[in-house]
Amino acid sequence: MTQKTLPFSNEQIEAIAQKYGTPFHIYDEKAIRDNVRRLQSAFAWAPDFQEYFAVKATPNPHIMKFLAQEGVGADCSSLPELMLAERVGLKGEDIVFTSNDTPSSEYVKAKELEVIINLDDSSHIEFLDKVAGIPEFISFRYNPGPMRQGGNSIIGNPEEAKYGVTKEQLFEAYPKVQELGAKRFGIHTMVISNELDPNYFVETARMMFELIVELKKTLGIRIEIVNLGGGIGIPYRPDQEPVDLEYIGAEIKKVYEEIIVPNGLDPLKIALECGRVITGPYGYLVSRVLHKKEIYKNYVGLDSCMADLMRPGLYGAYHHITVVGKENMPADFKYDVTGSLCENNDKFAIDRMLPKIDIGDLIVIHDTGAHGHAMGFNYNGKLRPAELLLKSDGSIQVIRRAETIDDYFATLDFDVI
Ligand SMILES: *Cc1c(COP(=O)(O)O)cnc(C)c1O
């Protein structure tokens, strides 16, 4: 059971809401930094461990900047994400480019920045060679297909996933890039998403370490960096436990000593590209109750909507809700908590037991620090909200302003008549 607490007092969040207006996402810098340090210390044994933050989770340069101060790199998969990493001051091998279905302009930029390019398919070897040239350091994304275990409802079974190359293709791909001038090699996989069982990550490491030994034995290819992807889950529900990062680190160390060391492949750099577990639990969507409605069910309408947080509407995902100031009241009212889209799945919660809600109440939706604001959209003319940072010194910084009507019209070439 995790206690779903807030990093601010009720008076503080009410004052912030008054000053900046709702809705907004707010992120807790200190908690994010502490958590990253915990991840790094779980892998302190590993030679040159590197976390590349999956930028898509929270593509805000202010967050990427303080993560960079903690030694965190960036995992990008598009041109704007590469440019964000560049602006933050990340360079070269601080950045990994794990894209798929990639346009040439993105490979050109990735090559120019000398980032680690992680190819999603063998057919991209020729494509990359033609549009930008094969870099000295190159990595491939491996799709293990049917696995003993692994795969879940979000990412699907690896066999059904569009990502990566098969084992057979992998063994043809390395010699091919070697012929084209590559001299240093990486390997990557990402087979699960939002997984709470730490053993999946240990098993993934075992699978990859064994593969690395096989690549060395059969092709003489020495892998320099193994990227185990992201996918570490977070406890969205109060009855879930956070993943034991120390356990993952310690168990992967055992497998490293069992497989990598005796085969003479130490040092091997271990990388992760986690997004969700880095920022997810440390972001909150703060919104106010606009309306209450009682028909066949009881509805609470917020001043935010699915455009501010898509996960509940998209996946039926659970996000915990706190009614500010009513934390200790009994949750004896059943509500659907909705946004204002003309879409019936625009609901943050369905049949949720909550304390009695009144118009004007401040509502905090938990765990919006990853894939929250980032998934926002403008459907129904909705404008994306601001992002605020609760800084380590306790002050508040607006790290992205709310969109305005002018932003909405900015892409329309239409003169007012
Ligand atoms: C989304 C993604 C990640 C991050 O996944 P999380 O679940 O946020 O840890 C890492 N790598 C790739 C290639 C991804 O697409």
Side-chain angles (χ1 to χ4, degrees):
M1 187 85 183
T2 3
Q3 190 67 19
K4 289 278 182 190
T5 55
L6 300 175
F8 27 69
S9 69
N10 293 345
E11 296 72 38
Q12 217 179 348
I13 194 62
E14 183 58 55
I16 296 167
Q18 297 273 349
K19 179 165 179 189
Y20 298 100
T22 51
F24 56 83
H25 290 267
I26 184 165
Y27 310 108
D28 181 354
E29 176 181 351
K30 181 172 184 306
I32 295 172
R33 283 185 187 260
D34 288 348
N35 180 53
V36 156
R37 287 177 197 172
R38 210 186 122 206
L39 177 69
Q40 288 164 334
S41 85
F43 282 91
W45 60 269
D48 210 15
F49 171 76
Q50 182 67 52
E51 154 67 9
Y52 298 98
F53 176 58
V55 174
K56 74 166 190 270
T58 322
N60 191 301
H62 295 274
I63 289 178
M64 292 167 68
K65 184 79 193 175
F66 73 70
L67 284 174
Q69 289 167 358
E70 297 291 337
V72 172
D75 162 37
C76 305
S77 59
S78 68
L79 182 61
E81 288 183 358
L82 282 170
M83 292 171 75
L84 279 170
E86 184 183 21
R87 293 236 193 143
V88 163
L90 292 169
K91 284 196 183 63
E93 292 171 25
D94 299 337
I95 304 168
V96 59
F97 184 58
T98 300
S99 60
N100 67 93
D101 194 17
T102 315
S104 57
S105 57
E106 302 191 348
Y107 276 140
V108 169
K109 185 69 180 176
K111 178 87 186 317
E112 175 201 314
L113 294 177
E114 298 181 336
V115 311
I116 300 173
I117 297 179
N118 189 27
L119 292 184
D120 183 64
D121 192 48
S122 312
S123 67
H124 286 218
I125 298 173
E126 242 172 78
F127 185 78
L128 174 62
D129 192 34
K130 202 171 84 199
V131 302
I134 298 293
E136 189 183 283
F137 194 164
I138 196 139
S139 174
F140 288 97
R141 179 170 188 165
Y142 172 51
N143 181 332
M147 291 208 310
R148 287 163 293 176
Q149 48 176 314
N152 64 15
S153 63
I154 292 186
I155 210 164
N157 279 323
E159 206 177 356
E160 298 288 333
K162 66 173 178 171
Y163 309 110
V165 298
T166 67
K167 188 165 171 184
E168 204 174 27
Q169 291 169 335
L170 196 64
F171 279 74
E172 287 164 8
Y174 285 104
K176 205 162 162 189
V177 287
Q178 208 169 18
E179 251 171 57
L180 294 168
K183 292 190 172 58
R184 298 169 58 209
F185 306 98
I187 192 162
H188 167 280
T189 199
M190 160 109 188
V191 287
I192 39 187
S193 179
N194 195 25
E195 180 56 60
L196 288 170
D197 181 349
N199 293 307
Y200 279 102
F201 303 97
V202 181
E203 281 313 301
T204 302
R206 177 182 295 279
M207 173 185 79
M208 296 303 276
F209 292 168
E210 283 169 354
L211 188 59
I212 286 165
V213 170
E214 205 179 327
L215 280 166
K216 177 68 182 156
K217 284 191 173 153
T218 57
L219 296 177
I221 293 285
R222 170 83 190 246
I223 297 291
E224 203 176 303
I225 175 166
V226 58
N227 184 335
L228 302 174
I232 299 180
I234 61 172
Y236 286 101
R237 293 175 181 272
D239 60 356
Q240 292 172 324
E241 294 291 338
V243 175
D244 186 343
L245 301 176
E246 289 75 18
Y247 173 87
I248 295 181
E251 290 299 307
I252 292 183
K253 178 171 191 271
K254 284 186 207 160
V255 183
Y256 185 93
E257 282 164 357
E258 179 193 323
I259 300 172
I260 295 299
V261 176
N263 281 290
L265 296 175
D266 174 54
L268 166 68
K269 179 168 170 150
I270 295 179
L272 290 177
E273 47 182 29
C274 292
R276 189 189 313 270
V277 76
I278 303 297
T279 50
Y282 315 110
Y284 307 82
L285 174 59
V286 180
S287 189
R288 212 178 276 284
V289 176
L290 267 188
H291 297 285
K292 286 180 70 178
K293 166 167 183 168
E294 294 172 5
I295 47 169
Y296 307 103
K297 296 181 85 173
N298 292 335
Y299 295 94
V300 171
L302 305 187
D303 63 359
S304 54
C305 70
M306 194 179 163
D308 307 312
L309 178 68
M310 179 149 65
R311 298 187 72 260
L314 186 63
Y315 312 121
Y318 180 94
H319 277 261
H320 197 68
I321 290 177
T322 295
V323 186
V324 174
K326 298 186 175 176
E327 293 83 352
N328 299 318
M329 285 171 55
D332 49 6
F333 284 77
K334 193 192 271 185
Y335 295 110
D336 280 14
V337 181
T338 78
S340 53
L341 286 192
C342 302
E343 280 291 332
N344 195 39
N345 59 348
D346 183 17
K347 291 173 185 157
F348 294 109
I350 296 173
D351 293 334
R352 183 74 57 91
M353 296 307 295
L354 291 165
K356 182 174 182 296
I357 290 178
D358 296 297
I359 290 171
D361 278 352
L362 211 50
I363 299 282
V364 176
I365 303 178
H366 293 249
D367 303 306
T368 70
H371 319 126
H373 188 284
M375 280 189 172
F377 52 93
N378 285 129
Y379 180 56
N380 244 184
K382 295 300 170 184
L383 304 175
R384 279 173 283 238
E387 292 182 291
L388 309 183
L389 184 64
L390 172 60
K391 297 179 60 157
S392 297
D393 66 5
S395 64
I396 301 290
Q397 183 185 357
V398 179
I399 56 172
R400 188 194 302 270
R401 68 163 170 79
E403 284 179 349
T404 64
I405 294 285
D406 285 343
D407 295 323
Y408 188 84
F409 278 91
T411 51
L412 292 170
D413 187 12
F414 183 83
D415 288 328
V416 179
I417 302 160

